[in-house]
């Protein structure tokens, strides 16, 4: 659902977060978020949703062949992992002058 004036929706997961896959072929695996695609609502997670890509020989890869790489996964299929290692939902609250994310399960602040 898009916001008024064509703004992109705020997402709870950021680049560098540790997430756990909750559905799909890679269910149960954890990894670091490498990139967030806000427009498509997808995330690229390290070691998750691996696909085979056929590449031609070039200057960087003189051999060519089949390369395994990560493909984006929908953001609804991942959950953030808090400091204790639990998958949790995320809330936002004011702490002093800044807005911080916190774990709904344990209540601790997520950096």
């Amino acid at each position: 659902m898009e916001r008024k004036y064509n703004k992109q929706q705020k997402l709870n997961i950021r680049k560098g977060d540790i997430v756990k896959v909750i559905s799909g072929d890679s269910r149960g695996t954890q990894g670091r978020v490498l990139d967030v695609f806000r427009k498509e609502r997808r995330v690229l997670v390290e070691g998750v949703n691996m696909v085979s890509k056929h590449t031609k020989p070039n200057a960087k890869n003189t051999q060519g062949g089949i390369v395994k790489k990560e493909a984006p996964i929908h953001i609804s299929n991942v959950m953030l992992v808090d400091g204790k290692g639990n998958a949790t939902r995320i809330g936002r609250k004011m702490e002093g002058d800044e807005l911080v994310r916190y774990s709904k399960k344990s209540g601790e602040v997520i950096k």
Side-chain angles (χ1 to χ4, degrees):
M1 190 158 90
E2 292 216 38
R3 290 184 172 188
K4 201 172 179 182
Y5 305 119
N6 209 12
K7 285 187 180 177
Q8 290 181 353
Q9 191 168 1
K10 188 104 173 167
L11 302 176
N12 292 326
I13 295 173
R14 297 181 188 161
K15 185 176 176 179
D17 285 342
I18 302 293
V19 293
K20 184 175 186 176
V21 180
I22 57 172
S23 67
D25 292 338
S26 303
R27 180 190 346 211
T29 58
Q30 288 187 4
R32 184 172 303 279
V33 175
L34 301 174
D35 205 357
V36 178
F37 306 107
R38 287 177 57 180
K39 209 171 206 177
E40 297 92 29
R41 299 184 57 76
R42 291 181 170 271
V43 290
L44 195 65
V45 182
E46 188 176 26
V48 172
N49 197 21
M50 300 298 282
V51 294
S52 299
K53 183 171 172 59
H54 298 271
T55 57
K56 281 183 159 182
N58 57 24
K60 191 182 267 186
N61 185 7
T62 56
Q63 186 79 30
I66 300 170
V67 177
K68 291 274 194 183
K69 62 180 281 185
E70 294 97 354
I73 187 170
H74 199 268
I75 202 156
S76 65
N77 295 334
V78 296
M79 269 184 114
L80 190 79
V81 175
D82 62 1
K84 296 178 180 174
N86 301 322
T88 180
R89 291 179 308 186
I90 303 152
R92 290 191 185 95
K93 64 181 176 182
M94 292 297 288
E95 211 167 77
D97 292 342
E98 61 181 305
L99 189 66
V100 293
R101 297 182 303 161
Y102 72 97
S103 165
K104 292 251 183 158
K105 194 174 267 189
S106 65
E108 67 182 42
V109 174
I110 298 166
K111 295 181 191 174

